Amino acid sequence: MKENPNEQNAEPKSLNFLEEIISSDLAGGKCDSVLTRFPPEPNGYLHIGHAKSICLNFGLALKYGGKTNLRFDDTNPVKEDVEYVDSIKEDIKWLGFNWASEHYASDYFDQLYEWACELIRKGLAYVDDQTQEEIRKNRGTVSQPGVESPYRNRSVEENLALFREMKEGKYKDGEKVLRAKIDMAHPNMLLRDPLMYRIIHSTHHRTGDKWCIYPMYDFAHGQSDSIEHITHSICTLEFDVHRPLYDWFIEKLGIYPSHQYEFARLNLTYTVMSKRKLLELVKNGYVSGWDDPRMPTICGIRRRGYTPESIRMFAEKVGVAKRDNVIDLSLLEWCVREDLNKRSNRYMAVIDPVKLVITNWEEGKQDECYGVINPENPSDERRVIPFGKELYIEREDFMEEPPKKFFRLKPGGEVRLKYSYIVKCEEVVKDSKGNIVEIRCTYDPSSKPGAGEWRSVKGTIHWVPVHAAKKIEVRLFDRLFTEPFMDSIPEGKDYKDYLNPGSLVVRQAYAEPALLDDNSGIAVQFERTGYFVKDKDSTPEHPVFNRTVGLKDGFSVKK
Ligand code: ATP
Ligand code: MG
């Protein structure tokens, strides 16, 4: 789906399908308050897709005066870790949301075990000794019914005893499983005696070695929702086939009837979001870490200079869909530009410098200019920019043989230096290889803003005074992948084949001195260039700035 951000501005404020459901549930007395949950598995860092889910779950509850729980879906001890728990909490808070209470599926292990025993007693669950391979084979196919397990008709007593022994550690991983007894010929394959428990001898990050049997997603998620009295359990579309099972367990146990609703997961162009792939990028050094500013993780996006406001705006604009689609990454970039344009402080920095020398500058003359800090801020506070005989300007702001509509600096042409004088190019100095090393200009002393009559010229360029310039490192980030639709790359190709070799370009740049005193805490605008945020790698001697996004939509792939 191609998004046009401008069109989105005029969006009608009708209810989305989830809001309609909630409104009608409240109106019809199906529930009297709303309780949603965000249920991450602590097996990786959160990404922009999770941010969408967070904004949705918390946003819906806020809209209807309800609450949202944070629940860690920690049912697989092998992949989970407290490192992830901590980062997830930090990311949700950074996005601006507060959970009502914090829970762990592992807190419910005793209750889940009891409920499993209850289903056994009702003749609705049994211990199966088949191997994983046999179970898979005997499930049948979409067109063929499955084959019932030879262990399916064990007595309640035997099942209870075996299940207790599983819990007590008598069996090895994979030796036995607990299955729900539903229907091996069910058209929905997930209802063909789904697994409820498997044996995993592994230390859990919270329950330690207390358990060696762990509930499957389907026997943990809905039950956890029910324990917490979640009214609206919102998940992504791929879980729609799980819904009958979600409902089956709740019905058979006769517990609080939470309900599941599905929405389309967020996909973004030029981006991969599976945790497995993100982990691989980190482990194999394709990026510098989970918080590499090119990563779609929340910590990466934050380090890149995105604001929580811009991400919430993005989630709002994406809306909720019932069918899978791919959102253009430029919509996310548009949102951060929109937010930073209103709030960020302005400075000048020259990223690819060439020297400009003012030949008629009076010997020893001291001067300074006054730059707007933020045009949207009515206080009209100004920053001081020292001026002098020698300046850096951007190499691309000068052309020796320019096309017709080039309004920047050219031989014999005039341009205004932002907040300052008009200069005229008189001479170009080159080195032996023909590279321009210096542009010699004269200046018009009466053209400074506030000094005499305003004279206008077509072009304005930014600059930095050589004598007061501060050296900074800039990291110019671009899209991590060259291919927009990373989920539909050709067979036989690997997603890593599409890594953009130009996704990080490091440059030594010059900035006006006031930049280094900025304490706004958010990204700043380098005038005419883009938004940049100070990176955590900065030291007082070596400031580092990450480019959040350019001022205009632009994308180049280095060949
Ligand atoms: P992965 O498949 O990459 O491991 P996951 O979906 O298993 O991710 P969870 O930690 O289980 O990750 O997800 C927590 C919540 O975030 C779930 O409700 C899930 O549906 C939702 N979520 C995950 N990815 C997206 C996405 N791309 N768009 C919207 N919601 C998402
Ligand atoms: Mg999951």
Side-chain angles (χ1 to χ4, degrees), residues 48 94 295-306 311 332:
I48 182 77
W94 178 76
M295 289 282 273
T297 50
I298 297 182
C299 54
I301 288 172
R302 172 164 70 227
R303 190 171 170 195
R304 175 85 169 248
Y306 274 79
I311 294 175
L332 182 60

Side-chain angles (χ1 to χ4, degrees), residues 337 339-347 373-376 518 520 522-526 530-532:
R337 271 190 212 107
D339 183 39
L340 289 175
N341 181 42
K342 293 201 187 81
R343 302 198 289 143
S344 75
N345 290 342
R346 269 60 168 171
Y347 300 99
I373 292 183
N374 183 342
E376 304 266 339
D518 183 88
S520 61
I522 61 168
V524 300
Q525 186 189 102
F526 289 178
Y531 295 98
F532 288 74

Side-chain angles (χ1 to χ4, degrees), residues 52-66:
K52 166 72 208 162
S53 171
I54 292 168
C55 292
L56 185 59
N57 277 297
F58 283 87
L60 282 170
L62 281 171
K63 178 160 182 172
Y64 291 96

Side-chain angles (χ1 to χ4, degrees), residues 38-41 47 49-50 53 234 236 263 265-266 273-275:
F38 176 65
E41 183 177 358
H47 53 59
H50 294 116
S53 171
I234 296 157
T236 39
F263 75 104
R265 67 193 295 121
L266 172 72
M273 261 188 276
S274 114
K275 282 186 209 156

Side-chain angles (χ1 to χ4, degrees), residues 416 420 446-457:
R416 179 174 294 279
S420 181
S446 69
S447 62
K448 196 181 182 188
E453 214 169 298
W454 176 260
R455 180 158 79 82
S456 80
V457 287

Side-chain angles (χ1 to χ4, degrees), residues 471-472 516 534-545:
K471 253 198 171 150
I472 60 170
L516 299 189
K534 199 170 189 177
D535 189 73
K536 66 174 191 185
D537 287 346
S538 294
T539 62
E541 299 74 39
H542 186 79
V544 177
F545 284 82

Side-chain angles (χ1 to χ4, degrees), residues 30 119 122 124 180 182 186 188 190-191 194 217-226 230-233 235 239-262:
K30 209 168 156 193
L119 290 179
K122 287 182 170 164
L124 294 172
I182 306 181
H186 202 285
N188 180 340
L190 283 172
L191 294 180
Y217 172 88
D218 287 314
F219 193 65
H221 203 91
Q223 286 54 49
S224 304
D225 284 344
S226 183
I230 300 298
T231 56
H232 298 82
S233 177
C235 62
F239 289 99
D240 67 343
V241 288
H242 294 251
R243 191 176 353 104
L245 190 50
Y246 182 105
D247 293 339
W248 189 88
F249 282 127
I250 283 180
E251 186 209 316
K252 298 300 175 199
L253 290 168
I255 54 181
Y256 178 85
S258 297
H259 288 282
Q260 175 186 304
Y261 305 91
E262 307 89 20

Side-chain angles (χ1 to χ4, degrees), residues 7-16 19 63 316-317 319:
E7 253 170 38
Q8 300 257 329
N9 270 344
E11 67 195 311
K13 272 290 159 211
S14 60
L15 297 184
N16 66 45
E19 292 167 344
K63 178 160 182 172
E316 179 72 25
K317 289 203 174 291

